[in-house]
Amino acid sequence: MEHIDHEFEVNDFEFAHEKGEKLVDKTYAATSYAKDVWNNFKKNKGALIGTVIIVIITFFAIFGPGMNEHTYKRIHPGQECLVPKIPYVEKIGLFDGYHNGVDQYAAQGVPDTYYWFGTDTQGRDIWTRVWSGTQVSLIIAFAAVVIDIVIGMVYGLVSGFYGGKVDSFMQRFAEVINGVPTLVTVTLLGMVLPAGIASIIFALMITGWIGMERIARAQVLKVKEQEYVLASRTLGASRFRLIFSEILPNILGQVIVTSMFSIPNAIFLEAYLSFLGLGVPAPMASLGSLVSDGYRSMTTFPHILIIPVLVMGVLMLSFNLFADGLRDAFDPKMLNK
């Protein structure tokens, strides 16, 4: 075989890096899991907007009813169905108390009175009633989260961890409970309990945790066969420690996200039941009862319906955006590229 000598030129070899710099390994500062979640959450602008709106609505739900001298049940005779009138804003022609070209406040002999959201068909201040109703919705939402975590998560953890006959029995029981319609449950509870927040919370305690239970069980079935769980079991860890120290921390993200998604459902359930007359009793206000009252005057005085609908819709949308941001933060693979 003929041997061919080859001489290399200077330009035959070049640095792989286009600038000719030496490539060195970079060391990144260690970050906690919570900080990673927060950094991912901040990338979702919709979730940040939803969080800000939730904070604003919660602020008004707490302090809004005390911002004027009216109460949610005080009736003002002769001041029914007044349209919104807001100080200073009225000077630019918005929310000035005029309806069909007539100054309603002057016609009623109260030109110096202001109702920021107007009044309803009985002369009650809608501003105070809307934020009092929002308090009810937020209480129901908080109760839904507690029920999901205390009942649904624990039920799913036990069912998924033990498996076998225990899991089969617990799942059949959950299916029977889930087969009872919520409307029927609330109606039956209304026969033994006074209509109000208590009956709605009891209804959530009976059927509202099923979704969380299924999510928690599915996550446990996926995690309990992982190597670190088997290693802890081999080292003699108790069942309690395996469930709450090894399994729960690794499914906590999914549990939190699921509980956040249950909040809009709980708010809608309360509004739906109040709309049907099975919610909080009069003269207490809830967003659902306000929508029901406004529905009767929709064609003549639409502000009575539009205002509570907007507050309820924005609140539910904000919680959905917040929950969606949490889902992406806990699972970075779901972040939009």
Side-chain angles (χ1 to χ4, degrees):
M1 179 181 294
E2 183 179 358
H3 178 72
I4 300 177
D5 293 331
H6 182 76
E7 295 183 2
F8 293 101
E9 303 293 336
V10 176
N11 296 328
D12 284 348
F13 298 94
E14 296 180 356
F15 287 105
H17 195 278
E18 58 184 1
K19 294 182 179 180
E21 300 175 354
K22 293 183 178 180
L23 298 178
V24 295
D25 294 334
K26 294 182 179 180
T27 303
Y28 295 92
T31 58
S32 64
Y33 179 66
K35 188 173 182 180
D36 285 337
V37 170
W38 169 241
N39 290 334
N40 292 331
F41 183 81
K42 290 190 298 183
K43 298 177 183 178
N44 192 320
K45 295 181 179 179
L48 293 177
I49 293 174
T51 304
V52 172
I53 294 175
I54 291 171
V55 172
I56 293 174
I57 292 179
T58 303
F59 172 83
F60 280 108
I62 296 173
F63 300 104
M67 289 183 176
N68 56 37
E69 69 276 11
H70 308 296
T71 64
Y72 71 88
K73 60 182 179 180
R74 182 182 177 185
I75 296 176
H76 303 83
Q79 300 179 26
E80 296 84 2
C81 300
L82 295 178
V83 296
K85 184 179 180 181
I86 303 176
Y88 306 109
V89 180
E90 61 176 335
K91 296 180 180 180
I92 61 176
L94 295 175
F95 306 110
D96 53 5
Y98 278 81
H99 182 64
N100 293 330
V102 178
D103 186 348
Q104 288 187 303
Y105 291 78
Q108 297 291 345
V110 287
D112 296 328
T113 302
Y114 293 91
Y115 291 104
W116 300 334
F117 283 173
T119 60
D120 62 10
T121 55
Q122 299 186 41
R124 296 173 296 192
D125 179 41
I126 296 179
W127 168 274
T128 306
R129 289 179 62 78
V130 162
W131 298 125
S132 297
T134 306
Q135 288 181 3
V136 174
S137 296
L138 292 176
I139 290 172
I140 297 296
F142 177 76
V145 173
V146 173
I147 290 169
D148 268 355
I149 294 177
V150 173
I151 300 178
M153 184 190 70
V154 174
Y155 195 96
L157 283 172
V158 174
S159 178
F161 180 80
Y162 285 94
K165 294 182 179 180
V166 174
D167 179 52
S168 180
F169 173 78
M170 295 181 69
Q171 292 307 304
R172 300 298 81 74
F173 177 77
E175 290 172 1
V176 171
I177 295 297
N178 193 43
V180 181
T182 303
L183 183 59
V184 174
T185 303
V186 175
T187 304
L188 294 176
L189 288 173
M191 298 174 64
V192 296
L193 293 174
I197 298 177
S199 61
I200 298 175
I201 292 177
F202 269 104
L204 291 173
M205 290 177 64
I206 293 174
T207 60
W209 50 271
I210 301 296
M212 171 63 77
E213 178 272 328
R214 290 175 175 171
I215 295 295
R217 174 180 176 270
Q219 293 297 312
V220 171
L221 292 175
K222 181 176 70 173
V223 171
K224 73 175 185 178
E225 301 299 334
Q226 296 293 324
E227 289 80 1
Y228 59 88
V229 177
L230 296 177
S232 296
R233 190 193 302 269
T234 303
L235 293 174
S238 64
R239 293 175 178 177
F240 183 88
R241 179 177 177 82
L242 288 174
I243 293 176
F244 291 99
S245 296
E246 301 295 340
I247 296 177
L248 180 58
N250 290 281
I251 68 171
L252 192 59
Q254 189 64 42
V255 167
I256 293 175
V257 171
T258 304
S259 64
M260 290 299 103
F261 274 115
S262 69
I263 291 178
N265 294 333
I267 294 174
F268 180 78
L269 173 64
E270 181 279 324
Y272 171 70
L273 294 176
S274 296
F275 186 84
L276 296 179
L278 299 174
V280 296
M284 288 183 62
S286 73
L287 294 178
S289 62
L290 292 174
V291 171
S292 178
D293 293 340
Y295 176 76
R296 303 185 184 97
S297 307
M298 179 176 59
T299 57
T300 53
F301 298 98
H303 71 279
I304 301 177
L305 173 66
I306 292 175
I307 292 173
V309 166
L310 284 177
V311 173
M312 182 174 64
V314 170
L315 183 61
M316 293 176 61
L317 177 61
S318 299
F319 273 114
N320 273 317
L321 291 174
F322 177 73
D324 185 68
L326 280 181
R327 181 188 61 192
D328 292 345
F330 280 107
D331 188 0
K333 293 182 293 184
M334 302 187 69
L335 287 170
N336 295 326
K337 299 298 183 181

